[in-house]
Amino acid sequence: MSFISQVPNLITLGNLLCGVIAIMVCLVPSLSYGVGYHPADAILWLVGIAFFFDFIDGAVARALKVTSPMGTQLDSLSDMVTFGVLPGILTFLIFNSIFDIPINVDGEPNSPFFKWPEVLAFTSLLLPLASAYRLAKFNVDTRKDVFYGVPTPVTGIFFTCLFWISLRAEGGFLVQYIFHPYALSGTIILLALLMVSDFPLLSFKFKSFALRPNISRYLLLGISLILLIVWSIKAVPVIMVTYFLLSIVDRQLINRTSR
């Protein structure tokens, strides 16, 4: 067993390490304050670094010609923690406002018709469960031309950004409506279902850099960049919707050209 053959696995373990540290910050927020970071900022950075590791480990393995079944399984196990278990914890914290920061303008739902049903917080459990099923399904699925179901890292990034927005963004529309307990619970259920579904989504992998076959990917990258420049992290929910819409358009174009 050479060191070179283990480089991709070490990168994958970096993903797992970031996820575990982020969970520790959730349990003990003072860990991040001790190094000068707000817990939400620290967790966002950790998940961002983990996502980078998850993005490059396979490419490094192919470049070094050391791909292996063990690397595939290790990648899924790491994703399960960082992009499955952690988002479940983060959404549970949003529901319970554990950092004593209100998740809507007055700290309570605005409408008297909506009460705070604490049981909705447990919809957060759907995220690690759906992630485990999605990752196992992906490992045995031979269809690699597109993503079938929402990728676990995409869902993990989405809910991590929502967590950051709930704690660091200013109040207003986002706080009053997107983080209403019914809206948040509905979002969790919807994405959990999409994760385990066979809904075809745009793959992030470029087989070539030609414009025509990759027009949807280039549009997604361009729109995402513009939205991030304008709205920063708050653009992530809009980027997610854009991703779904472009996936539908891309699938329709493929079906039309294949006739």
Side-chain angles (χ1 to χ4, degrees):
M1 182 183 297
S2 66
F3 175 77
I4 293 297
S5 67
Q6 294 305 308
V7 169
N9 291 337
L10 291 175
I11 295 174
T12 303
L13 288 175
N15 167 8
L16 177 61
L17 178 64
C18 289
V20 172
I21 294 174
I23 292 174
M24 293 171 65
V25 172
C26 290
L27 298 174
V28 187
S30 59
L31 288 174
S32 63
Y33 285 122
V35 293
Y37 281 91
H38 186 282
D41 295 338
I43 291 170
L44 185 64
W45 271 106
L46 287 165
V47 173
I49 295 170
F51 186 79
F52 174 73
F53 285 150
D54 185 57
F55 185 77
I56 69 167
D57 57 1
V60 170
R62 288 187 293 271
L64 297 176
K65 298 180 180 180
V66 290
T67 55
S68 67
M70 177 182 171
T72 301
Q73 300 305 319
L74 187 60
D75 183 72
S76 293
L77 292 170
S78 299
D79 284 354
M80 178 61 207
V81 174
T82 305
F83 304 113
V85 175
L86 176 61
I89 294 172
L90 295 179
T91 51
F92 190 79
L93 294 181
I94 294 174
F95 276 115
N96 290 276
S97 192
I98 199 170
F99 291 104
D100 296 323
I101 299 176
I103 65 171
N104 44 20
V105 172
D106 300 317
E108 296 292 338
N110 293 328
S111 172
F113 299 103
F114 292 106
K115 302 301 180 183
W116 189 272
E118 294 183 359
V119 69
L120 287 179
F122 292 99
T123 55
S124 301
L125 296 172
L126 292 174
L127 294 177
L129 296 177
S131 296
Y133 188 93
R134 153 77 193 179
L135 290 164
K137 179 183 175 184
F138 179 80
N139 283 350
V140 299
D141 198 339
T142 57
R143 303 168 299 176
K144 303 299 183 182
D145 55 329
V146 296
F147 288 133
Y148 289 92
V150 180
T152 304
V154 171
T155 306
I157 286 286
F158 175 75
F159 284 109
T160 301
C161 290
L162 280 191
F163 176 74
W164 185 92
I165 292 169
S166 73
L167 297 180
R168 301 293 276 167
E170 297 178 358
F173 174 81
L174 283 172
V175 177
Q176 291 185 52
Y177 298 101
I178 292 181
F179 293 104
H180 189 284
Y182 289 98
L184 180 60
S185 180
T187 302
I188 291 170
I189 293 171
L190 175 62
L191 283 178
L193 290 173
L194 286 173
M195 287 172 69
V196 301
S197 73
D198 273 337
F199 185 76
L201 290 168
L202 187 65
S203 172
F204 298 126
K205 296 179 180 179
F206 286 80
K207 294 181 179 179
S208 71
F209 293 102
L211 178 61
R212 187 167 183 176
N214 296 303
I215 184 66
S216 297
R217 294 179 182 84
Y218 285 126
L219 278 174
L220 179 61
L221 288 173
I223 293 171
S224 300
L225 181 61
I226 293 171
L227 290 174
L228 287 171
I229 292 173
V230 175
W231 288 337
S232 184
I233 302 301
K234 291 182 284 186
V236 170
V238 181
I239 293 173
M240 179 71 86
V241 174
T242 304
Y243 175 48
F244 289 140
L245 293 176
L246 285 175
S247 294
I248 294 172
V249 172
D250 187 74
R251 184 50 38 184
Q252 291 299 319
L253 291 174
I254 290 175
N255 291 339
R256 184 174 298 177
T257 56
S258 62
R259 289 175 184 174

